[in-house]
Amino acid sequence: MVNSSPAVAAHAEGEEIEVLESTDVLPVAPEDQWKSLFDKYDPENSGFISTERFRDLLAAHGSELDPHKLEVLLALADGNADGKICYQDFVNLVSSADELEMSNKRSNSFRRAILQGSRQLRNSALREEVGLGLSRRLVRHVAYETLPREVDRKWYFDSYTYCPPPWLMLVITIAEVVVFIYYGLQLNRWVLQVSSPYFLKGPLPYHPQLRVQAWRYLSYIFMHAGIEHLGLNMAMQLLVGVPLEMVHGALRIGLVYVCGVLAGSLAVSVTDMTAPVVGSSGGVYALVSAHLANVVMVIGKSLYSYNGTLRNCDLVWSETFSVSAVSVEFGRAVWLRFYPPAFPPCPNPSFVAHLGGVAVGLTLGVVVLQNYEQRLQEQSLFWIFFSVYTLFILCGIFWNIFAYNLLDVKLPPPP
């Protein structure tokens, strides 16, 4: 698209800034032309231009843009919290406008929200809004814990209504606590319950001798090796899973969680064939790894400007807690697996379920959580990963039917 608008002068900080001639192009220029256009508005070669200069740039070179796309660009620029834009921001803004205009990945409600700008929060971060009640402060906190982009945070803050509430992670956590208390009273043991000879006799844990009972590939999440195991999983489900559910909804979070749980038990049945499985770590690790990977991917795109300048980056406490909790919990699981079992020859529960959850989170989970407003049925990458996951499940099922006999695996006796 060729821009035929006349050259104009943009003023900032008392200096006259040279702009491109009428032959310059804006919406579909190659990389070097993007760079040339940006540098015209950055005579100090600082790597940044203010949002005011960016608006001047659009005024000078946006007359040939579709009015709707121009309005989207202005709204996205207003959503910038810094008041300044680096080169990568500049490219991302134009790309975002193209995506919103040319694709149908975002819903109409998101389009309307972008076009409405950022309410009274223009050119200021959502964190700076004052006078909020407790519930609105909670929503703002969740926005900063789960969404790396300021424009998405503001849109989520404006649209969230607590309807429906985040019930799924709460229900699962409560059920796990109830089951743990029940077995704690039955076994008269609260720490390292797995060392009790009656721990695996119930209908919930996965045991290789009982793998024909298909529900155990999912029900094992309600059994935990001890209070330390339950406590870490509860903390991650409540502090990471609940905010993710508030943003992405129970359907998406449930999909990632259940896929991680199922992948975890099947991974154990394929790679650690003689070990039982307990705990919700497969589902928890799927959520945590998907969230962390999504945050890293988004931050990585905007962490550095084109000249290597470090960009502002919100590293919130949930990411630090998640990494710490995952490290501690995984280390505990590895130690327990190789600790002398209480009832040989059956080994202690396997840690491979954690790795199965991570694999789901880094593939299927990242796609599901990558954009909280995208429709899954319109994402080709989602269906690719979902098909690969389904193939893995089918291979795991056939493995459990035939491989144990073919390999003559010596399984521990039934509990």
Side-chain angles (χ1 to χ4, degrees):
M1 184 183 301
V2 178
N3 194 331
S4 59
S5 62
V8 298
H11 297 273
E13 302 176 359
E15 296 182 3
E16 182 172 329
I17 301 172
E18 181 185 0
V19 297
L20 298 179
E21 298 298 330
S22 60
T23 57
D24 294 318
V25 294
L26 178 63
V28 290
E31 186 71 18
D32 56 343
Q33 290 178 304
W34 289 127
K35 180 67 166 56
S36 175
L37 181 59
F38 184 88
D39 287 344
K40 291 290 184 178
Y41 283 80
D42 181 26
E44 302 91 354
N45 197 29
S46 65
F48 300 90
I49 59 175
S50 66
T51 51
E52 290 78 10
R53 291 185 180 183
F54 181 72
R55 295 177 69 89
D56 291 336
L57 185 154
L58 293 177
H61 303 284
S63 62
E64 292 299 319
L65 283 173
D66 181 273
H68 174 75
K69 186 181 295 185
L70 179 61
E71 197 171 3
V72 170
L73 274 172
L74 292 173
L76 288 171
D78 288 336
N80 186 283
D82 301 357
K84 57 184 179 180
I85 298 174
C86 72
Y87 175 68
Q88 188 59 49
D89 291 333
F90 173 66
V91 174
N92 290 344
L93 284 173
V94 179
S95 300
S96 299
D98 288 337
E99 178 182 353
L100 289 170
E101 178 67 22
M102 302 305 295
S103 73
N104 195 30
K105 292 183 178 179
R106 296 265 191 172
S107 68
N108 289 330
S109 61
F110 181 85
R111 292 169 182 265
R112 289 194 298 270
I114 287 294
L115 291 178
Q116 290 168 3
S118 301
R119 309 188 295 121
Q120 68 270 29
L121 304 178
R122 292 172 181 269
N123 296 325
S124 63
L126 176 60
R127 200 190 301 275
E128 298 173 7
E129 186 169 3
V130 297
L132 298 178
L134 179 61
S135 63
R136 299 305 291 167
R137 288 204 302 271
L138 175 61
V139 174
R140 179 174 63 182
H141 174 75
V142 169
Y144 273 91
E145 292 297 323
T146 57
L147 297 171
R149 292 183 359 122
E150 183 71 17
V151 66
D152 286 341
R153 293 166 180 165
K154 292 179 179 180
W155 157 233
Y156 169 75
F157 179 81
D158 283 344
S159 61
Y160 187 72
T161 61
Y162 286 100
C163 184
W167 59 271
L168 179 62
M169 287 292 100
L170 294 176
V171 168
I172 292 176
T173 303
I174 292 172
E176 292 171 357
V177 172
V178 169
V179 171
F180 179 80
I181 293 176
Y182 171 80
Y183 278 95
L185 295 173
Q186 289 285 327
L187 305 174
N188 193 25
R189 186 186 294 269
W190 304 95
V191 178
L192 284 180
Q193 288 184 349
V194 68
S195 62
S196 170
Y198 298 101
F199 180 78
L200 297 177
K201 289 184 178 294
L204 299 178
Y206 168 85
H207 191 281
Q209 282 281 19
L210 303 176
R211 66 187 184 280
V212 69
Q213 299 174 357
W215 70 83
R216 292 178 181 268
Y217 289 90
L218 295 174
S219 64
Y220 74 92
I221 68 171
F222 298 107
M223 295 287 289
H224 287 80
I227 194 170
E228 74 290 344
H229 189 196
L230 174 67
L232 287 169
N233 281 340
M234 278 182 55
M236 287 188 284
Q237 283 181 175
L238 295 178
L239 297 179
V240 178
V242 170
L244 286 176
E245 185 180 349
M246 290 177 65
V247 171
H248 299 282
L251 182 61
R252 285 172 177 248
I253 296 304
L255 174 64
V256 177
Y257 189 88
V258 171
C259 287
V261 168
L262 186 56
S265 55
L266 283 174
V268 172
S269 71
V270 171
T271 63
D272 199 1
M273 300 170 68
T274 62
V277 187
V278 295
S280 58
S281 299
V284 170
Y285 275 53
L287 292 178
V288 171
S289 60
H291 172 56
L292 292 177
N294 188 38
V295 169
V296 169
M297 287 170 60
V298 175
I299 290 178
K301 294 179 181 178
S302 57
L303 188 58
Y304 291 95
S305 66
Y306 75 101
N307 63 352
T309 305
L310 187 64
R311 298 289 292 129
N312 292 332
C313 172
D314 293 315
L315 296 178
V316 291
W317 72 272
S318 67
E319 279 74 39
T320 303
F321 166 79
S322 298
V323 172
S324 301
V326 163
S327 301
V328 172
E329 206 278 330
F330 185 71
R332 183 212 60 84
V334 174
W335 169 83
L336 181 62
R337 172 63 178 85
F338 297 105
Y339 188 78
F343 36 99
C346 182
N348 285 327
S350 176
F351 62 87
V352 177
H354 301 67
L355 304 180
V358 170
V360 169
L362 295 180
T363 52
L364 184 64
V366 167
V367 177
V368 172
L369 304 189
Q370 190 172 25
N371 188 324
Y372 73 95
E373 189 65 17
Q374 274 189 346
R375 298 177 181 177
L376 294 180
Q377 63 268 27
E378 296 174 353
Q379 299 185 54
S380 57
L381 194 58
F382 166 78
W383 289 109
I384 293 174
F385 281 128
F386 190 77
S387 299
V388 172
Y389 174 81
T390 303
L391 181 62
F392 164 75
I393 297 299
L394 293 176
C395 291
I397 293 174
F398 281 103
W399 178 275
N400 279 270
I401 294 175
F402 301 109
Y404 281 76
N405 292 329
L406 293 175
L407 297 176
D408 194 22
V409 179
K410 295 181 179 180
L411 296 177

